[in-house]
Amino acid sequence: MNDLRVRWITAALLTLIGLYGLSRLEFTNSIKAFIPAAGELGDLSLELVDSPLARRMAISIGGGEQRDEVAAALAASLRSHPEVDWVESGLDENALRAIYELYFDHRVYLVSEQPATQIPAMLEPAALERRAADLRRRLAQPDAMLLARTAPEDPLGLFQNIVDRIRQANPALSSESGSFESASGEHAILLLGLRSSPFDSERQAPLLDYIDAEFARLDAEAGGGFALESSGINRISVASERSIRGDANFISAVSVSVVCALFLLVFHSLRHLAIAILSPLSGFAVAMALALSGDDPVHGITLGFGFVLIGVAIDYPIHLMNHHALSPPGTRPRETAAQIRSSLLLSALTTTLAFFALSLSDFPGLRAMGTFAAIGIPVALAIALFSIPAFMRPSARPTPAQRALAGGFARLVGWLGARAGIAVALFAACALIATVGVPQLHWEDDPSTLVAGDPVLIAESERVRARIADFDTGRFVVGLAPSAEAALALNDRIHERLSRAIAAGDLLGVSSLHSFLWSQELQRENLEALRSVPDLAGRIDRAYVQSGFRSGAFGKFPAAVAAPRAAPLRAEDFVGTPLERAVDSLVELDGRWAVVTYLRGVASGGAIRDALEGLEGTHYIDQKEIVGGVYRGYRRSMVRVLALGCVVVFVVLQLRYRDWRAALLAFATAGLAALATYGTFGILGVSVNVVSSISLLLVLGMGVDYGIFTVDGARLADRLGATLSSILISCLTSVFVFGTLALSEQPALRAIGLTTGTGILFALALSPAVFVLARRSGARG
């Protein structure tokens, strides 16, 4: 097949595959893909990430006396926004009436959490006389109009007790103005429900911008002086993505500019860059198309990782083009490709195996990344060997830069060859760095450190949370049951246990659905306890007559006990009421029902677990503790995977060379570079994390490439300069693609840059020494 036809076929296939991928492009940014399997508690914690409990936002408005009016106007504007599911800003008369209608007829079911003992006690003559005297006093107050209407049917104040319980659960409801306010009364509060996931930055960013613009307009119309602060996962997510995108744009611009300059310097043509980029782009396009051919969307980070392949797979065309330029004039490109084909095949195989180790990860996202690379690298190699030569011309003369690099390395190796001790000393120095530094490594297992959160934004979020209710959203208790009613019954027992923990000082408070809704079982126990009191009507009448009330004035209450006007309260009854959001903590998860209780002031996680001991289906969840433990386990697993990858790569090298010295020298470049990198971090006190371990796979993959080319080139004296100069160009390209990530403000990107950049530089420094030792040892390339 002639070169023209190869060019057309390559261009056509690449175009078709790219168009197919773009037509099916659908990706997700769900955090679940990058959390490893963590057992039931971890899985449960993940399921709650996208539940209605996470799709919330709180807004606080402080400033002048008109803050309630500004908050009300902002709430009215937000209700029409397509990404806002609901807005709560306060309780007006209609809302209060709805709460009355929701609870008043159910008051006989919601009397006491311990009806068997407390209801008989509250209906003792002495207790009733005290209640009668208290009712008389309250009716004499100026604001007793509602009480005067409800007292004949509710002489025991059961409805007021329910309202007090609700207000205690949510201090924002205690405002006398009807608007939600902070505990200090200095801030108006808005609560928002989000239609989309808080991690969906594409939808959340316009909403946040709209809120800022609307508030600025309302603030100006009201004369200024107001301040808006907010809290929500969506704010942190959007801010992090914007920061990462800004870093990526800057770093991409720097690395692309430098790589272009490098190609201009070495090859005196950007045409070589355009040809070289075909290889990794083809690998990326094919891997992306296959990833998108399934039913599930591909993760955005997996696609981003695909671009990392450019820094790895571009090595193959670089070696081909540089060797070709330094070949005798008139050499055809396919002849050059044939000369280095075995080295390219072996380097691609070992790199693919190194990346394939990712597919053994417990992270679904990392498994996808490993598969992506394992597909993309062989495709890139195939393009480099069979298609790239069709775009190249017969060799002419190398550029001055190529001649200088090749000649310089030839002289360096000649100098080292006469001083083999220096080559051995380089190996010994790397081994010493690894021996001293690796034991001093500090592993950072807190996943929150992988993203640089804006400290100003985080402090603002904490202030807003404290104004509403200072509950730790990362610590909570979950009760799991097969049905919603069973979950509510379990929640009654959970609340009882946690109340004891509060009394014991192990806990400061809870935010529980129990403040709004009890199980059907407990509600019926309340009704039966009221009905079991002998002569209920007579008891009430006698006690209240002594306080000056008319005999028979409260006869409607015993009648309501005997024949309630409503069935026990259910979760469905809250739909369409101002308290609808209260039942969001009752969530259906994968065929089960979960009820969530948030905690405040946990003194000890162990004490909470002890308090809940014996309650089947009940779990105390500390998300930071769980994920930290999972990451520690994953880190150990990742080290084992790295070790396994090293063994597999060495075995492949041994099978290829059938000479332990050649295999060891080819592997030494990567192995020592990786160990020396971690040794350097240990000596300098640089913390390492999961991302660092993943990056070490890149060092292993590319370092083995350098080792293979060095060992294979040692047997051909005339290719010495071409081999080492190709390694240098590849190294510099990789450093500028990966190493510039070290400039990032994001810890995860910085870890990739530092680890990969440092490791590649160690591999480059060891390459001439490997070349010298391979020639002196007689290792067969």
Side-chain angles (χ1 to χ4, degrees):
M1 187 180 297
N2 61 45
D3 288 346
L4 179 61
R5 187 171 297 177
V6 169
R7 290 198 292 268
W8 277 108
I9 291 175
T10 301
L13 286 177
L14 186 57
T15 301
L16 289 174
I17 293 171
L19 290 175
Y20 171 80
L22 291 175
S23 68
R24 294 183 58 90
L25 184 58
E26 182 183 358
F27 59 90
T28 176
N29 288 315
S30 174
I31 192 175
K32 294 181 181 181
F34 288 87
I35 299 291
E40 184 180 20
L41 294 187
D43 294 342
L44 179 61
S45 181
L46 280 177
E47 287 185 81
L48 292 171
V49 166
D50 282 331
S51 74
L53 291 172
R55 298 185 182 190
R56 293 189 172 191
M57 186 178 179
I59 294 176
S60 165
I61 297 177
E65 298 295 329
Q66 293 180 291
R67 59 178 176 270
D68 288 344
E69 288 80 0
V70 173
L74 181 59
S77 177
L78 289 173
R79 287 189 179 98
S80 62
H81 195 282
E83 287 302 320
V84 175
D85 189 23
W86 51 266
V87 180
E88 293 182 355
S89 59
L91 299 177
D92 56 17
E93 289 187 9
N94 292 332
L96 293 172
R97 185 179 301 109
I99 292 176
Y100 170 83
E101 292 172 353
L102 175 66
Y103 279 108
F104 192 78
D105 287 344
H106 295 94
R107 67 196 181 284
V108 295
Y109 299 107
L110 302 166
V111 181
S112 169
E113 297 170 358
Q114 298 176 339
T117 57
Q118 292 182 351
I119 287 181
M122 70 185 293
L123 293 174
E124 289 292 328
L128 285 173
E129 289 171 8
R130 289 193 295 273
R131 287 182 178 274
D134 181 62
L135 177 60
R136 188 82 182 182
R137 178 185 58 78
R138 291 167 58 200
L139 285 170
Q141 295 177 355
D143 57 351
M145 186 178 299
L146 177 61
L147 181 60
R149 274 206 308 261
T150 60
E153 298 183 70
D154 188 23
L156 303 182
L158 302 183
F159 175 68
Q160 185 59 47
N161 291 344
I162 294 171
V163 173
D164 291 342
R165 190 162 58 236
I166 293 172
R167 283 179 169 168
Q168 186 178 6
N170 191 345
L173 297 173
S174 302
S175 167
E176 295 181 2
S177 66
S179 300
F180 290 169
E181 290 184 353
S182 61
S184 66
E186 297 177 352
H187 299 83
I189 302 296
L190 297 181
L191 303 177
L192 280 68
L194 308 173
R195 293 189 187 278
S196 305
S197 167
F199 300 101
D200 187 349
S201 298
E202 184 178 345
R203 289 182 170 87
Q204 295 302 322
L207 171 61
L208 295 175
D209 292 339
Y210 178 82
I211 291 173
D212 290 339
E214 276 297 287
F215 174 74
R217 179 182 66 81
L218 294 170
D219 179 47
E221 290 178 358
F226 298 94
L228 181 145
E229 293 184 315
S230 60
S231 172
I233 297 174
N234 57 342
R235 291 201 70 201
I236 306 297
S237 175
V238 169
S240 297
E241 181 173 310
R242 284 174 173 171
S243 175
I244 293 173
R245 187 183 296 118
D247 273 0
N249 290 339
F250 168 73
I251 291 168
S252 299
V254 172
S255 59
V256 169
S257 300
V258 176
V259 168
C260 288
L262 177 64
F263 267 75
L264 281 174
L265 176 66
V266 174
F267 296 102
H268 286 191
S269 170
L270 286 180
R271 179 176 178 274
H272 286 77
L273 177 59
I275 295 173
I277 208 70
L278 275 178
S279 179
L281 281 182
S282 299
F284 175 83
V286 172
M288 182 180 73
L290 291 176
L292 292 169
S293 62
D295 296 329
D296 297 328
V298 67
H299 201 282
I301 293 181
T302 302
L303 288 181
F305 177 77
F307 285 103
V308 169
L309 294 178
I310 295 174
V312 178
I314 201 172
D315 286 357
Y316 308 139
I318 284 176
H319 279 284
L320 174 61
M321 291 190 294
N322 194 58
H323 274 82
H324 184 61
L326 293 167
S327 297
T331 303
R332 296 173 58 201
R334 296 200 181 276
E335 294 176 10
T336 305
Q339 292 173 4
I340 63 172
R341 180 180 296 127
S342 60
S343 298
L344 286 175
L345 287 171
L346 183 60
S347 65
L349 174 62
T350 53
T351 303
T352 300
L353 289 173
F355 279 109
F356 188 72
L358 279 178
S359 65
L360 304 177
S361 168
D362 291 330
F363 288 66
L366 292 185
R367 286 200 298 270
M369 290 162 61
T371 304
F372 200 99
I375 294 170
I377 290 173
V379 171
L381 174 67
I383 294 297
L385 286 175
F386 300 109
S387 295
I388 295 295
F391 292 87
M392 297 169 58
R393 303 187 181 105
S395 63
R397 290 186 304 172
T399 66
Q402 288 173 312
R403 286 198 300 271
L405 289 174
F409 272 113
R411 289 189 295 273
L412 174 63
V413 170
W415 183 81
L416 281 175
R419 299 166 180 81
I422 295 179
V424 175
L426 279 174
F427 277 85
C430 289
L432 179 62
I433 291 172
T435 302
V436 174
V438 170
Q440 301 181 49
L441 274 179
H442 172 256
W443 286 91
E444 180 56 76
D445 293 315
D446 182 359
S448 65
T449 61
L450 296 179
V451 178
D454 184 343
V456 175
L457 198 62
I458 294 173
E460 177 185 324
S461 180
E462 292 295 327
R463 287 195 300 272
V464 174
R465 280 182 46 216
R467 289 168 191 157
I468 304 171
D470 191 19
F471 294 102
D472 185 350
T473 55
R475 289 179 169 182
F476 48 88
V477 173
V478 178
L480 292 174
S483 66
E485 174 56 27
L488 288 172
L490 179 58
N491 193 48
D492 293 337
R493 296 191 289 276
I494 291 173
H495 189 269
E496 180 184 358
R497 298 287 188 91
L498 293 178
S499 296
R500 294 178 196 169
I502 293 172
D506 296 325
L507 187 63
L508 293 182
V510 299
S511 174
S512 172
L513 176 59
H514 187 81
S515 300
F516 301 88
L517 178 64
W518 299 347
S519 67
Q520 302 271 306
E521 177 186 5
L522 181 56
Q523 291 185 62
R524 291 193 177 94
E525 288 178 6
N526 273 264
L527 182 61
E528 291 305 317
L530 286 172
R531 288 174 172 175
S532 66
V533 175
D535 190 21
L536 176 62
R539 286 192 182 203
I540 293 175
D541 197 61
R542 287 190 294 273
Y544 280 70
V545 165
Q546 288 184 14
S547 293
F549 290 99
R550 177 176 53 84
S551 177
F554 304 103
K556 291 183 179 181
F557 179 70
V561 172
R565 290 198 294 262
L569 192 64
R570 303 169 304 159
E572 295 85 347
D573 296 329
F574 285 78
V575 177
T577 73
L579 299 180
E580 181 176 358
R581 305 277 71 81
V583 296
D584 281 349
S585 56
L586 181 64
V587 186
E588 187 176 11
L589 298 175
D590 195 22
R592 299 177 297 174
W593 285 85
V595 60
V596 182
T597 300
Y598 287 105
L599 310 178
R600 176 166 58 89
V602 176
S604 164
I608 303 302
R609 292 188 182 94
D610 291 343
L612 299 171
E613 187 176 0
L615 281 183
E616 186 178 353
T618 303
H619 307 279
Y620 166 70
I621 293 181
D622 184 330
Q623 289 182 316
K624 185 174 181 180
E625 178 183 289
I626 289 174
V627 177
V630 168
Y631 269 75
R632 281 191 294 275
Y634 171 72
R635 179 242 298 172
R636 291 189 288 269
S637 173
M638 192 67 192
V639 171
R640 290 193 294 270
V641 168
L642 279 168
L644 175 63
C646 290
V647 171
V648 170
V649 167
F650 182 77
V651 170
V652 170
L653 291 172
Q654 178 62 30
L655 291 173
R656 163 66 175 83
Y657 290 120
R658 301 189 182 278
D659 181 343
W660 68 269
R661 292 168 299 177
L664 183 61
L665 285 171
F667 179 77
T669 305
L672 270 180
L675 289 173
T677 298
Y678 267 11
T680 302
F681 290 168
I683 293 171
L684 298 179
V686 177
S687 297
V688 295
N689 50 42
V690 169
V691 176
S692 304
S693 299
I694 297 169
S695 304
L696 217 58
L697 277 175
L698 297 172
V699 174
L700 180 63
M702 288 182 285
V704 168
D705 288 354
Y706 300 165
I708 289 170
F709 273 98
T710 303
V711 170
D712 285 359
R715 63 188 172 89
L716 299 172
D718 60 326
R719 310 303 295 173
L720 164 64
T723 298
L724 291 180
S725 62
S726 297
I727 291 175
L728 174 63
I729 298 168
S730 298
C731 172
L732 292 178
T733 303
S734 299
V735 166
F736 291 132
V737 171
F738 295 113
T740 49
L741 290 174
L743 302 174
S744 173
E745 295 181 0
Q746 293 297 323
L749 297 179
R750 191 161 57 244
I752 294 173
L754 282 174
T755 306
T756 310
T758 304
I760 291 172
L761 289 175
F762 270 118
L764 175 66
L766 288 169
S767 293
V770 169
F771 201 104
V772 169
L773 294 178
R775 296 185 69 175
R776 290 179 67 90
S777 66
R780 296 193 303 273

